[in-house]
Amino acid sequence: MTDTGLAFLCGTDLDTFDPSGPAAFYDSSPVLRHRYRQVADWTGVTPGRLLGRDRARAGARERALLGRLAPATAMLGIHDVLAVHRIRPGVLGGLGVGAMVASCLAGALPRDALIRTLADGGSPDEPDRAGAVALAFLPAGHDPEWYRGALHAGVRYCGSLGEDTSGTYRVVLLTGYADALGRLATEAPKGAVRIGESPGVTVHGPLGRAAHRRMRRLVTGLPFTAPVLPLCSALEAKTLRTADDVGELFLRNVVQPADLGSLTAEMHAHGTRLGLVLGPSLPRNLLRFPFPVVHVESPADIARAISAILEFGVEMSPAGHRMPHWA
């Protein structure tokens, strides 16, 4: 069981990444500005690019790089801002890039190693054909014909995000080449497929096999250690306990479908009473969770998080608490 009852959830660039919240944090928080400058030092990617400026003019490879680095940098920085407010997690977990960020925040990997891995984790030998990610809204309980057919025509299933807040639909994550997903969106009922703007998707899908080979080479040299905080996997209902567990997560994360329900169920088993979603990394007010969730995307969300912490009896870190060395 966790000591605090508070979980941190880290997502990935599933939909259009909105940098306005992280930009507001950047303008208001010296701590977050410091973290962005660190990432720039490690990668050569400037804070302006990480915050989405001129992203529309970037090529597919550049946008894919930013699709990994921008959410990760925002999540790391927002974690640090929360720590200033004495808000610390008792358990962590994530999807895609967020699974790797959660591993870092749980003490299993230094930040510089994480960021350099994300910067190098694409596959330069992949073709420039545009890839994309999409959310599909399926009637609860069955798969319609248009969805089943698409899985044999250039679209791949990447994971389940569970039911929407009304329980009417189940939400699944799809990846594929942009033209194939575009055809699916026109064949499906209006609004049933929401295509994001993340190119070169290389997590939770078989189209990432080239990136998987590259990740295998990268993981060999990474200084993984056993997580210091409970770290839950989105690949199965499991808590990762060893350095080898985390290394396997990095490898399998690229090609194995995710299951948000398994992740949150494992967090719930640790006694989670409240979850904070770090940054614009999961759709807001869309998915059903087994515990209350607050999205922390902008400075205004800090007050909402503190109110929820008080409401649900979650413990905050004592005054004077220092961040551990890995954070």
Side-chain angles (χ1 to χ4, degrees):
M1 301 289 283
T2 65
D3 292 329
T4 68
L6 181 65
F8 277 12
L9 278 159
C10 303
T12 194
D13 197 356
L14 296 180
D15 205 353
T16 303
F17 180 79
D18 182 359
S20 60
F25 267 127
Y26 184 86
D27 292 338
S28 64
S29 171
V31 171
L32 192 134
R33 287 196 294 274
H34 171 69
R35 299 309 180 195
Y36 272 77
R37 287 194 295 268
Q38 271 192 327
V39 171
D41 289 343
W42 293 331
T43 65
V45 180
T46 65
R49 290 161 65 200
L50 291 168
L51 291 168
R53 296 162 192 161
D54 298 326
R55 188 174 181 181
R57 294 190 295 177
R61 293 179 189 274
E62 169 81 356
R63 293 199 307 275
L65 171 66
L66 294 175
R68 297 188 298 273
L69 285 180
T73 305
M75 287 184 279
L76 291 172
I78 291 171
H79 164 275
D80 298 344
V81 174
L82 291 170
V84 170
H85 291 272
R86 297 168 38 219
I87 301 172
R88 303 282 301 173
V91 61
L92 296 114
L95 302 175
V97 168
M100 302 164 78
V101 173
S103 300
C104 173
L105 296 178
L109 186 68
R111 289 190 180 202
D112 60 337
L114 167 71
I115 292 298
R116 290 189 172 103
T117 298
L118 291 174
D120 294 339
S123 181
D125 55 345
E126 284 183 309
D128 283 326
R129 185 179 177 189
V133 64
L135 301 178
F137 298 82
L138 308 179
H142 71 281
D143 292 339
E145 288 296 330
W146 58 264
Y147 172 70
R148 289 204 298 269
L151 298 182
H152 301 286
V155 175
R156 298 292 184 267
Y157 171 82
C158 287
S160 170
L161 301 183
E163 293 184 345
D164 72 333
T165 52
S166 71
T168 305
Y169 301 101
R170 60 187 180 91
V171 187
V172 299
L173 175 63
L174 303 176
T175 192
Y177 294 115
D179 51 0
L181 283 171
R183 287 194 299 271
L184 173 63
T186 60
E187 295 167 2
K190 185 176 181 180
V193 176
R194 181 193 299 176
I195 300 178
E197 297 179 1
S198 304
V201 176
T202 55
V203 291
H204 298 315
L207 292 179
R209 291 199 184 280
H212 180 259
R213 291 192 294 271
R214 184 168 179 80
M215 183 63 72
R216 183 173 292 279
R217 294 194 295 271
L218 292 171
V219 162
T220 301
L222 289 179
F224 292 116
T225 58
V228 178
L229 295 173
L231 175 64
C232 300
S233 171
L235 305 181
E236 61 263 304
K238 177 181 178 181
T239 299
L240 307 181
R241 304 189 184 281
T242 69
D244 288 344
D245 285 344
V246 181
E248 278 298 306
L249 172 69
F250 271 54
L251 286 174
R252 295 168 59 207
N253 190 52
V254 180
V255 293
Q256 185 170 329
D259 188 335
L260 184 61
S262 293
L263 173 64
T264 55
E266 187 71 3
M267 289 179 154
H268 201 219
H270 279 275
T272 295
R273 298 191 297 279
L274 174 68
L276 300 185
V277 176
L278 302 191
S281 64
L282 285 174
R284 188 189 282 257
N285 301 324
L286 175 64
L287 304 173
R288 177 178 289 183
F289 294 90
F291 40 76
V293 165
V294 174
H295 292 252
V296 184
E297 302 178 15
S298 71
D301 294 324
I302 295 289
R304 299 186 185 99
I306 292 174
S307 294
I309 284 169
L310 296 174
E311 178 181 356
F312 296 105
V314 171
E315 297 178 16
M316 296 177 68
S317 300
H321 176 84
R322 300 183 64 182
M323 293 172 64
H325 64 88
W326 69 82

